[in-house]
Amino acid sequence: GAGVSQSPRYKVAKRGQDVALRCDPISGHVSLFWYQQALGQGPEFLTYFQNEAQLDKSGLPSDRFFAERPEGSVSTLKIQRTQQEDSAVYLCASSVPGYEQYFGPGTRLTVT
Amino acid sequence: DAKTTQPPSMDCAEGRAANLPCNHSTISGNEYVYWYRQIHSQGPQYIIHGLKNNETNEMASLIITEDRKSSTLILPHATLRDTAVYYCIAPSGGSNYKLTFGKGTLLTVNP
């Protein structure tokens, strides 16, 4: 079946703009994760949902970052007042509880 | 999560076995070892995981030492498409929780 999809694949934002990144997980996957990957680094955890409940948001770098999954399927990561240091690839992953995570291709965000 | 240590880079000739080591000396008894890889410009891809027994699937084999302080991922016949960054992870909450990737090993398969 279809894997995890993310949109847009590329996003250029001017400093101070708000952005919204979308993740469509694999159908039936209860768990959903967001990661941030800076250039040359490994992915870093941002937040975790089980169904619509956000169980861990300890990795969100500031209160400008907000994630939601209102119906327990599609998730949106929103970044308000973007800064240059927000430039990175944002990865979404989904899984069945207790099983491996499946990752999407990521959204590359460039803040100019 | 248990701390894992991997070499930053390795080379392998096409068609030969690639053996990627990982040290996880602080791993606890109930922490699995997971391996993911990330091909350039793609999201990470799950490869294999294990607890104490050696594991094999269609992608790779995982050899875990008896004391569980280290493991080796084996790609039996590396191809150019196996060139990627390989991450060894020992998440304390299992895979159904956040993964701490580190910097991994860049494996370059040469023709």
Side-chain angles (χ1 to χ4, degrees):
Chain A
V4 178
S5 61
Q6 294 186 244
S7 60
R9 290 294 315 278
Y10 303 91
K11 177 69 178 177
V12 178
K14 291 187 177 180
R15 184 179 172 185
Q17 284 185 331
D18 298 348
V19 298
L21 312 179
R22 177 186 170 107
C23 173
D24 285 82
I26 293 172
S27 177
H29 279 194
V30 168
S31 302
L32 185 144
F33 307 81
W34 283 99
Y35 294 83
Q36 179 191 58
Q37 186 170 24
L39 190 64
Q41 305 295 316
E44 294 191 354
F45 170 81
L46 293 177
T47 187
Y48 160 59
F49 290 85
Q50 187 164 310
N51 295 305
E52 68 278 5
Q54 189 174 19
L55 299 186
D56 187 341
K57 53 182 180 180
S58 62
L60 296 176
S62 77
D63 58 8
R64 297 186 295 104
F65 286 71
F66 172 76
E68 59 183 7
R69 194 185 186 197
E71 298 179 356
S73 55
V74 171
S75 177
T76 304
L77 176 67
K78 297 179 179 178
I79 308 173
Q80 297 177 324
R81 306 180 303 281
T82 52
Q83 304 294 316
Q84 281 197 318
E85 61 263 28
D86 300 336
S87 294
V89 175
Y90 290 86
L91 294 159
C92 176
S94 69
S95 75
V96 172
Y99 289 81
E100 64 272 16
Q101 297 181 25
Y102 289 84
F103 284 79
T107 294
R108 180 177 297 277
L109 172 66
T110 303
V111 181
T112 60
Chain B
D1 295 1
K3 178 178 170 56
T4 60
T5 304
Q6 299 177 255
S9 63
M10 294 183 64
D11 285 283
C12 176
E14 187 177 19
R16 304 295 294 268
N19 297 282
L20 292 93
C22 178
N23 288 325
H24 33 77
S25 58
T26 62
I27 197 170
S28 65
N30 61 350
E31 288 177 337
Y32 283 76
V33 178
Y34 285 82
W35 285 82
Y36 284 76
R37 73 179 182 183
Q38 188 171 25
I39 295 170
H40 184 61
S41 296
Q42 297 183 19
Q45 176 190 23
Y46 166 81
I47 302 172
I48 198 168
H49 73 281
L51 184 62
K52 61 176 74 173
N53 298 320
N54 297 337
E55 302 288 346
T56 295
N57 63 19
E58 65 279 4
M59 289 183 69
S61 295
L62 175 61
I63 308 298
I64 303 174
T65 58
E66 192 169 342
D67 62 8
R68 301 190 71 240
K69 292 186 177 181
S70 65
S71 61
T72 301
L73 179 74
I74 301 171
L75 307 179
H77 306 288
T79 71
L80 298 180
R81 290 180 296 179
D82 292 322
T83 293
V85 178
Y86 287 76
Y87 298 97
C88 168
I89 304 167
S92 55
S95 187
N96 189 40
Y97 202 56
K98 56 187 174 185
L99 301 174
T100 302
F101 280 83
K103 292 193 174 183
T105 296
L106 172 59
L107 174 69
T108 302
V109 180
N110 300 304

